[in-house]
Amino acid sequence: LKQLFTTTERETRIYAYNNHTHRKSRDAENTHLRCTYPFRRLLRAFYIYIKARIGIGFSQTLSKNQIRLSAFSIQKERERTRKNNSSDQNMRATSFTQTKTSCSSSSNKKSFIITKRRHKIGGKMQTKMRPKKAATAASAATSGGVQTIGETFKKLKSENKIAFIPFVVAGDPNLEATAKALKILDAAGADVIELGVPYSDPLADGPVIQAAATRALENGATLDKVIAMAKKTIDNGKGVKAPIVMFTYFNPIYQRGVEKFVQQIADAGARGLLIPDVPLEETYETSKICSKYGIDLVLLSTPTTPTERARQIALNTKGFVYLVSVTGVTGMQTNVASRVEELVADLRKVTDEPIAVGFGVSNAGHAKQIVNWGADGVIVGSALVRALGEAASEEEGLKAFEEKAKEIRSGACRD
């Protein structure tokens, strides 16, 4: 009867909730439940009592002794199960790992765990050493040979240098050419590289990068293929040494799952992530996940960003602040907007983070002008994308791409 009472109460709660969720007041709902429960339970108890007395629906009436016997057998079964579980745990404790001791080797400074296991033959203790596992996912993600973005800017600042940050669309004209382009940029002196994931609706990009993304998608580029190509090209720091920032819009990340995506690019060796269509208010959870896997989430500030909002962006960005130099989309400009100098100065008042300027940079003169205005980095995209993707052949495109990269690299330096 106790079990039936419990079941009846739960069923009554569910019934009452489902039939009275339209009530506006929680107090009114609670009053209804208080009135309903005792009455329903009393009727249910009376009904069960009558059934048990006259035998309706039962093959036989259970006696008090039978009820006691059933309860006693259930208790015994529980005690037997508990005893078996405790004996299994004791056997495991004596047969498997007994002590764990950390030690360090002076030659390679790797941590080890000493594990002792008792073998049946001879009953002797055998000691086996195995490498200690990484403590966190973030430490595993940052264990490669590629520097983080913050480390890169810190090193450049100590050497009084400016960061050269080129951009390339993955898959244009094909992924093999993109892998070669990344190596060319690394050899040409790129300090950080933006790798753009092709997307069907690149709202922040101008016609040059839009066309490149369309060509890449038509040639079969996918997110999985781009990540695989990046992993192979980076090769845990043995390939491309410059830290790579993945540039992608939010929809592909959302479809895959934020944490899964971040984990995959971290495993591939990427060091940063830039999502141009996510506002500051929506970046906090993504930033936490990125920090967990050792990825810097780079945020953008524009010419129309209010000072207080720019300060919040600077406080929450990781790696550097991406300062957009124009109010439109990406693309090559004849002249860099003169307001960039003022924007850089305003950002300097609210942050100590490195400031890199992008959008509209197409030659060495533009890069030099941005450096003179006090920026810490120069970002160039459309000029390089056009040189690579719009050439007559892949070989000519890679050659023109290399020449343009070296030209702008020469301008992105202090006198």
Side-chain angles (χ1 to χ4, degrees):
L1 289 179
K2 184 177 180 181
Q3 293 177 353
L4 288 171
F5 270 123
T6 306
T7 304
T8 304
E9 181 177 354
R10 183 169 65 253
E11 291 174 349
T12 305
R13 286 176 182 272
I14 295 172
Y15 175 82
Y17 179 78
N18 290 338
N19 286 276
H20 296 278
T21 51
H22 64 278
R23 291 176 178 270
K24 295 183 179 179
S25 172
R26 174 72 63 178
D27 295 335
E29 182 179 349
N30 292 338
T31 302
H32 169 77
L33 294 178
R34 285 196 295 272
C35 295
T36 305
Y37 290 158
F39 181 68
R40 287 179 177 272
R41 291 178 64 178
L42 182 62
L43 287 179
R44 180 68 174 169
F46 181 73
Y47 174 69
I48 293 172
Y49 173 77
I50 295 299
K51 285 179 67 176
R53 295 295 295 177
I54 65 178
I56 298 176
F58 292 87
S59 58
Q60 59 178 359
T61 303
L62 296 177
S63 64
K64 291 183 179 180
N65 290 333
Q66 288 174 319
I67 294 174
R68 290 196 190 97
L69 181 60
S70 176
F72 180 76
S73 61
I74 292 173
Q75 184 178 0
K76 282 293 184 183
E77 182 65 26
R78 288 177 178 173
E79 291 178 357
R80 191 181 302 111
T81 304
R82 192 181 302 113
K83 186 181 295 184
N84 292 338
N85 291 338
S86 63
S87 62
D88 290 342
Q89 291 177 0
N90 292 333
M91 290 177 64
R92 271 191 223 102
T94 57
S95 60
F96 287 104
T97 304
Q98 306 241 336
T99 57
K100 293 182 178 180
T101 308
S102 297
C103 65
S104 65
S105 172
S106 58
S107 59
N108 54 15
K109 298 193 176 183
K110 289 184 179 179
S111 297
F112 291 91
I113 294 176
I114 298 178
T115 305
K116 294 183 179 181
R117 186 184 296 272
R118 185 182 297 277
H119 296 279
K120 293 182 179 179
I121 301 176
K124 295 182 179 180
M125 296 295 293
Q126 301 291 333
T127 302
K128 183 179 180 181
M129 298 184 71
R130 59 182 175 85
K132 186 177 181 180
K133 292 182 180 179
T136 61
S139 63
T142 58
S143 62
V146 180
Q147 285 185 334
T148 64
I149 299 171
E151 291 171 347
T152 300
F153 273 98
K154 187 176 181 180
K155 180 181 177 182
L156 291 171
K157 185 177 181 180
S158 66
E159 297 174 354
N160 196 30
K161 293 182 178 179
I162 298 296
F164 172 48
I165 308 175
F167 170 89
V168 61
V169 177
D172 180 43
N174 54 65
L175 289 172
E176 291 76 14
T178 304
K180 295 176 183 177
L182 292 176
K183 294 177 182 178
I184 288 173
L185 292 174
D186 194 42
D191 300 295
V192 179
I193 300 175
E194 286 186 34
L195 180 61
V197 178
Y199 183 57
S200 59
D201 188 22
L203 55 90
D205 294 310
V208 174
I209 296 180
Q210 285 185 20
T214 301
R215 290 192 298 267
L217 293 172
E218 290 175 350
N219 292 335
T222 63
L223 181 57
D224 288 327
K225 291 179 181 179
V226 171
I227 294 174
M229 181 275 299
K231 184 174 184 178
K232 184 178 179 181
T233 307
I234 298 169
D235 193 18
N236 198 28
K238 298 175 184 177
V240 174
K241 298 292 191 298
I244 289 181
V245 177
M246 301 295 290
F247 182 105
T248 180
Y249 293 86
F250 187 67
N251 191 56
I253 301 175
Y254 175 76
Q255 295 296 329
R256 178 154 302 199
V258 176
E259 184 155 4
K260 183 178 179 180
F261 172 82
V262 173
Q263 184 179 10
Q264 286 179 339
I265 65 171
D267 291 341
R271 286 289 182 252
L273 175 62
L274 202 158
I275 314 172
D277 59 342
V278 175
L280 172 65
E281 292 77 11
E282 303 296 331
T283 61
Y284 299 119
E285 287 300 321
T286 305
S287 182
K288 290 179 183 178
I289 296 173
C290 288
S291 298
K292 177 181 175 181
Y293 292 97
I295 297 293
D296 290 331
L297 183 63
V298 180
L299 303 183
L300 294 92
S301 180
T302 70
T304 58
T305 303
T307 303
E308 178 57 28
R309 185 174 181 82
R311 188 178 72 84
Q312 292 297 324
I313 290 172
L315 289 173
N316 289 278
T317 192
K318 300 292 190 302
F320 63 94
V321 180
Y322 192 129
L323 176 59
V324 178
S325 63
V326 297
T327 54
V329 295
T330 61
M332 297 182 295
Q333 305 289 333
T334 305
N335 296 302
V336 181
S338 58
R339 192 172 174 231
V340 170
E341 184 176 9
E342 180 185 348
L343 295 172
V344 172
D346 290 341
L347 277 175
R348 287 283 181 223
K349 297 176 183 178
V350 297
T351 183
D352 294 329
E353 290 288 333
I355 301 171
V357 178
F359 283 49
V361 181
S362 60
N363 56 53
H366 292 167
K368 192 66 175 178
Q369 194 173 23
I370 289 172
V371 172
N372 293 336
W373 285 339
D376 300 300
V378 177
I379 304 170
V380 55
S382 296
L384 293 173
V385 172
R386 170 170 286 179
L388 177 61
E390 297 183 6
S393 65
E394 180 181 322
E395 290 74 16
E396 293 180 8
L398 289 170
K399 184 177 179 180
F401 180 84
E402 182 176 8
E403 291 174 355
K404 178 60 71 172
K406 289 181 178 179
E407 175 200 341
I408 299 177
R409 167 75 269 189
S410 66
C413 62
R414 290 193 174 97
D415 293 331

